[in-house]
Amino acid sequence: MGAGSRQEENLSRRAFIRRCAQRLISAIGAGLLAYPILSFVTFRKSRKKTVVFPAKDQSDAVSFKEGVFLIRRKGDTYAFTNKCTHLGCRFNFDPLSRTFRCPCHGSVFDLRGKRLKGPAKRDLEKLPLAEKRNGDIQVAVTL
Ligand code: FES
């Protein structure tokens, strides 16, 4: 084996090691970039909270607190978030017509959450709630 041949072998070994190092660095870099993006796209953290309507603050018909409507009507109690089932806009309560009206595309729901009109296809979903001995009502909300 001559000196030229050994030099070629060293060069090709160096080139091979350099190429491997570059690929390794590229793979690590791609992983570092991809991880937060994939985490953001694939992971959706659901949060839960409890909204408490103290007995003294509950009106006869409709109360509102922290994005939750509490309806007490004819001995029945139920609650909804104010998030429209169409595209998620926040709707309001209209005391004159006694309906919930979404300002975005005009969906309307009655006091029981039934869809009356508009592009929304689904009724409002009732939230789980618990009435405490002292009259407070706790509503469980998933955000
Ligand atoms: S988001 Fe409420 S009607 Fe479209």
Side-chain angles (χ1 to χ4, degrees):
M1 212 182 253
S5 169
R6 183 172 283 161
Q7 201 170 10
E8 272 181 31
E9 189 177 311
N10 282 341
L11 275 179
S12 69
R13 187 178 299 158
R14 277 190 201 147
F16 174 75
I17 291 171
R18 185 177 298 141
R19 192 174 304 144
C20 286
Q22 286 172 340
R23 288 185 179 165
L24 182 65
I25 289 170
S26 296
I28 291 170
L32 288 175
L33 282 174
Y35 180 74
I37 294 169
L38 289 174
S39 298
F40 178 76
V41 171
T42 59
F43 183 72
R44 185 169 177 200
K45 190 176 180 182
S46 69
R47 293 184 304 137
K48 295 182 179 194
K49 73 173 183 177
T50 301
V51 179
V52 179
F53 289 85
K56 63 179 176 50
D57 296 343
Q58 297 166 24
S59 76
D60 286 341
V62 180
S63 305
F64 182 75
K65 185 178 181 183
E66 298 177 38
V68 175
F69 282 106
L70 178 74
I71 298 97
R72 305 197 80 173
R73 187 168 168 255
K74 297 179 183 173
D76 206 3
T77 304
Y78 39 92
F80 312 108
T81 63
N82 67 337
K83 193 173 176 185
C84 182
T85 57
H86 179 226
L87 294 178
C89 286
R90 301 295 172 178
F91 58 77
N92 304 306
F93 178 64
D94 176 20
L96 292 178
S97 64
R98 299 182 59 78
T99 56
F100 298 105
R101 296 180 171 267
C102 184
C104 292
H105 311 104
S107 289
V108 179
F109 306 89
D110 72 8
L111 277 179
R112 298 191 73 72
K114 186 172 187 288
R115 186 191 73 88
L116 299 177
K117 74 173 196 177
K121 302 282 186 237
R122 294 182 291 121
D123 296 342
L124 302 177
E125 287 182 27
K126 291 181 180 170
L127 299 170
L129 56 82
E131 189 161 359
K132 300 297 174 189
R133 283 184 174 198
N134 64 1
D136 291 358
I137 295 177
Q138 294 182 338
V139 180
V141 183
T142 301
L143 304 172

